[in-house]
Amino acid sequence: MTDNGYTVGDYLLDRLAELGVTEVFGVPGDYQLEFLDHILAHPRVNWVGGANELNAGYAADGYGRLRGMAALVTTFGVGELSAANAVAGSFAEHVPVVHIVGAPSKDAQGARRVVHHTLGDGDFEHFLRMSREITCAQANLVPATATREIDRVLSEVREQKRPGYLMIATDVARFPTEPPTAPLPRYTGGTSPQALSLFTEAAARLIADHRLTVLADFLVHRLGCVDELNTLLGADTVPHATLMWGKSLVDESSPSFLGIYAGAASENSVREAIETAPVLVTAGVLFTDMVSGFFSQRIDPARTIDIGANQSVVAGQVFAPLDMSAALDAVTAILTGRGVTSPAPEPAATPPPADSPARDTTLTQKALWDRLSEALTPGNVVLADQGTSFYGMAGHRLPAGVTFIGQPLWGSIGYTLPAALGAGLADRDRRTVLLIGDGAAQLTIQELGAFGREGLTPVIIVVNNDGYTVERAIHGPKASYNDIAAWRWTDLPAALGVPDALTFQAGTYGELDEALAAAAAASDRMVFIEAVVAQMDIPPLLTELAQSASAANAS
C-alpha cells in the first residue's frame, strides 16, 4: 500500500475494515502522523478529523452504536486523556470503540527519555494503566506479537461490546508484516446445551398458558438480538414496553406497544401492565437511577424471566452459560408451541387529539416535542442530549424505523452533537435530527463545521432556555452557577464553516412550524433551529426524576 511495503499499521486498518469500519475519527499528533498517512492511503478507510479529541471520541461512539464497531485515533498522553471521558461513556453504555494511541518509539521508551506529552519520569505506561479501568482489553504493541495482539483486542471489543485500547509506537506502526490470511476468529460455544434445556423447561412451567408481557432494554440492541426479540413479539399477542435507554428498540407504532416504563415515573397504564403482568420477560434490562425513577421499579422476581447477556433467571433460578439469542429463541418456541393464542389487550383509552396551539402562541416544551414528534419520518436517527431534550422526547411515540440515541447512564452533556456526526457518517442514507440544550451545545459546538465538511445535512434543534435547566430542576433554580453566556446561536453555522445552512429562531409555535416545514423541504442542507422556551419550562418526566435526584443527593 505504500513504498515501504505492508506494515503493522496496515494490518490494523485491514482488520478494522473487515469489521465494518470505513471511517476513523481522531485528531492528528506527531506520534501518529505516519500512521495517518496509511489511513489516507487505505482503499476502504477514511479519516475524519475532529475539532478536539473529546469530540472525536463522542463521534466514534455515535458511529459505533449504528455500525457495531468504531475506531478513534489520538496521540499519546494529552490526546488520549482528552478522549478519556468519551471512552468511559462508551464503556458504561456498551459501545464498541477501538482507541488507537500513537506513542513515542520503542527506542525512546526503552531509554526512558523525557519527551513531550509524557509526565517526564520515563514511564510510558501511565496512561495504559489508566485505560484498563475503562476498556475491556488493552495492548502495548511490540513487533513480535503485534498482529496477534491486534486480533485479541479487536475480538474482545467485538464480543464484549465495549472499548479496547491499542498503544502503537511510531516504529511499531511502520514495522513490516503480512496481511491477514483468515477472518478474525469468532467466539463460539457461549451456550451450554444443558443450561438451555433446563431454562426452557423452567420458562415453560412459569409461562404455562399465561399471557406474556415483555420489558426490553438497550442490551438487546448492543448484543445484536433485535431480530430475535421481534420474532418473540410476533409469536403471540405480546404487550411490551422498553426503558428510556432502549427507546426505539421496538416498533412504537405497534398496538401491543405499551410505552416507556420508568418505575414510579411511568404513565399509570404502563406501570400497571408491567408490574402486574402474570409473567414478565425482561430482556437486556439494566435498571439505572435515571431510567427507573430512581429505582422505583416494582418487579416481582417470582413472576419474571430475566434474559441477560450470558445468563437468564427464571423465578430466581439462574441458568448459565446461556446467550441472550438462545434464550429469546427458546421463549419464542414456547409461545409458538403451546397452542394458546392470547387475546388482544384492551386498547388504552386515547384522548382526542388536541388542537394545535395558535401560531402566535409562545413556544413551550410540550408544544416543541409534540410538534417535533409529528415531523419525524421513518429512517430518521434522533439524538437527544441529556436534559430537557431527552426527557421531553422520551414519552413520545416514534414512527417505525426511527432510531433514538441518548446517553442516560453516562450522561455527559454535549455528547450528542459530535455523536450525531458519527451517526450521520455511519449511515449517510438516514437523516440525523439533533436535539440539544443551549448549555450542552456550548461544550461541543466546535464540531458543527465537520457536518458541512463531510457533506451531512442534519436538522439541529438547540433548545435555548437560558442555562442548565436540568440542573435548575434538581437544585438552585436561580443560582448563578446554572447560568451560561448568551450566544447568537443562528450566527454559528456560518461562523463555524457551514455558510449555506438554513437558520431559524423559533419563539412561537408558528415559527417552529415554519422551521420544521422548511427542514422537511430542504433535505440537502443543514437546518439549524434555535427553539426559545422559558427557563423553568420543564417536561413532566424530568420534573419527577429531578425531584427524586434532589432527594437522593440530599440523603
Side-chain angles (χ1 to χ4, degrees):
M1 295 176 60
T2 69
D3 292 340
N4 297 327
Y6 194 87
T7 67
V8 168
D10 296 326
Y11 184 96
L12 172 55
L13 294 172
D14 280 349
R15 282 302 200 200
L16 290 173
E18 177 190 330
L19 295 174
V21 174
T22 54
E23 280 77 23
V24 173
F25 300 88
V27 174
D30 61 331
Y31 293 134
Q32 26 90 322
L33 290 177
E34 191 173 321
F35 175 60
L36 300 191
D37 288 338
H38 287 246
I39 295 177
L40 297 183
H42 198 279
R44 291 177 290 165
V45 177
N46 302 302
W47 170 252
V48 181
N52 57 56
E53 291 88 356
L54 177 60
N55 285 1
Y58 287 152
D61 182 291
Y63 186 96
R65 290 180 190 233
L66 294 187
R67 279 287 181 95
M69 183 65 69
L72 166 69
V73 178
T74 66
T75 199
F76 185 79
V78 293
E80 59 183 306
L81 294 186
S82 291
N85 176 21
V87 174
S90 298
F91 186 88
E93 303 223 344
H94 295 261
V95 182
V97 176
V98 183
H99 186 186
I100 303 160
V101 176
S105 70
K106 287 299 181 185
D107 284 345
Q109 293 184 43
R112 299 178 63 85
R113 292 181 187 139
V114 178
V115 297
H116 61 286
H117 299 339
T118 73
L119 299 183
D121 60 0
D123 184 343
F124 288 84
E125 294 200 341
H126 284 297
F127 315 121
L128 169 62
R129 293 192 292 273
M130 291 181 188
S131 77
R132 288 176 182 148
E133 300 294 330
I134 54 173
T135 56
C136 70
Q138 315 80 31
N140 181 357
L141 299 179
V142 296
T145 59
T147 57
R148 187 170 69 220
E149 286 290 86
I150 288 170
D151 286 359
R152 175 183 65 81
V153 171
L154 294 184
S155 294
E156 290 295 326
V157 172
R158 180 174 63 181
E159 299 304 329
Q160 295 194 41
K161 311 302 181 187
R162 278 183 152 150
Y165 178 99
L166 290 170
M167 189 163 88
I168 182 166
T170 54
D171 47 352
V172 175
R174 73 172 75 98
F175 196 83
T177 193
E178 299 296 325
T181 57
L184 192 67
R186 277 200 167 275
Y187 172 71
T188 57
T191 293
S192 158
Q194 182 181 23
L196 177 58
S197 176
L198 294 173
F199 165 79
T200 304
E201 292 174 10
R205 285 195 303 271
L206 184 64
I207 294 171
D209 60 355
H210 294 299
R211 183 206 300 279
L212 197 67
T213 301
V214 171
L215 176 62
D217 200 21
F218 80 110
L219 280 175
V220 174
H221 171 265
R222 297 292 195 274
L223 297 172
C225 296
V226 175
D227 289 344
E228 289 87 346
L229 174 65
N230 285 331
T231 302
L232 189 161
L233 298 179
D236 193 3
T237 303
V238 181
H240 54 275
T242 69
L243 301 179
M244 284 181 280
W245 210 352
K247 185 170 176 61
S248 77
L249 176 66
V250 299
D251 179 1
E252 297 186 0
S253 66
S254 166
S256 294
F257 179 65
L258 299 166
I260 298 296
Y261 178 72
S266 311
E267 292 182 6
N268 289 336
S269 60
V270 179
R271 188 176 190 189
E272 182 179 0
I274 294 298
E275 297 183 358
T276 65
V279 178
L280 178 69
V281 170
T282 54
V285 167
L286 179 62
F287 289 112
T288 73
D289 53 0
M290 297 301 286
V291 301
S292 68
F294 274 76
F295 307 110
S296 60
Q297 73 274 10
R298 297 291 180 264
I299 306 296
D300 182 1
R303 294 184 285 112
T304 300
I305 300 169
D306 179 44
I307 299 176
N310 306 116
Q311 68 174 36
S312 292
V313 182
V314 180
Q317 185 177 1
V318 178
F319 301 91
L322 180 58
D323 286 342
M324 178 180 288
S325 59
L328 290 171
D329 288 343
V331 174
T332 300
I334 293 169
L335 294 183
T336 55
R338 66 180 180 167
V340 175
T341 300
S342 300
E346 291 292 328
T350 55
D355 293 333
S356 296
R359 297 187 66 80
D360 61 352
T361 301
T362 299
L363 189 61
T364 64
Q365 288 268 351
K366 182 180 186 307
L368 172 60
W369 307 123
D370 286 350
R371 178 66 184 90
L372 179 61
S373 62
E374 294 171 359
L376 295 173
T377 57
N380 284 148
V381 179
V382 180
L383 297 98
D385 216 87
Q386 212 60 24
T388 61
S389 297
F390 183 84
Y391 296 104
M393 277 299 292
H396 288 75
R397 296 200 175 201
L398 302 176
V402 170
T403 297
F404 185 82
I405 295 175
Q407 202 191 40
L409 176 56
W410 190 242
S412 186
I413 66 168
Y415 154 79
T416 53
L417 195 151
L421 172 68
L425 291 172
D427 193 340
R428 286 181 174 271
D429 293 332
R430 304 177 67 182
R431 195 179 197 186
T432 55
V433 178
L434 169 64
L435 317 174
I436 189 168
D438 52 350
Q442 288 195 2
L443 272 73
T444 53
I445 197 71
Q446 312 95 319
E447 217 56 60
L448 197 65
F451 290 92
R453 183 193 66 206
E454 299 297 331
L456 299 177
T457 57
V459 177
I460 296 175
I461 299 177
V462 174
V463 182
N464 182 351
N465 48 14
D466 192 24
Y468 299 122
T469 293
V470 63
E471 310 294 2
R472 297 186 199 278
I474 297 171
H475 184 81
K478 297 298 182 183
S480 60
Y481 48 69
N482 287 325
D483 297 339
I484 62 172
W487 285 8
R488 296 198 302 270
W489 289 100
T490 55
D491 292 348
L492 291 179
L496 294 174
V498 196
D500 64 341
L502 293 179
T503 62
F504 301 87
Q505 184 182 67
T508 66
Y509 185 83
E511 290 169 345
L512 174 67
D513 191 55
E514 291 171 6
L516 292 177
S523 60
D524 59 342
R525 298 170 70 180
M526 175 188 287
V527 177
F528 187 98
I529 302 169
E530 177 191 1
V532 182
V533 297
Q535 187 180 81
M536 293 304 294
D537 183 6
I538 302 168
L541 178 56
L542 179 56
T543 297
E544 291 191 44
L545 293 173
Q547 291 170 352
S548 298
S550 180
N553 292 337
S555 62

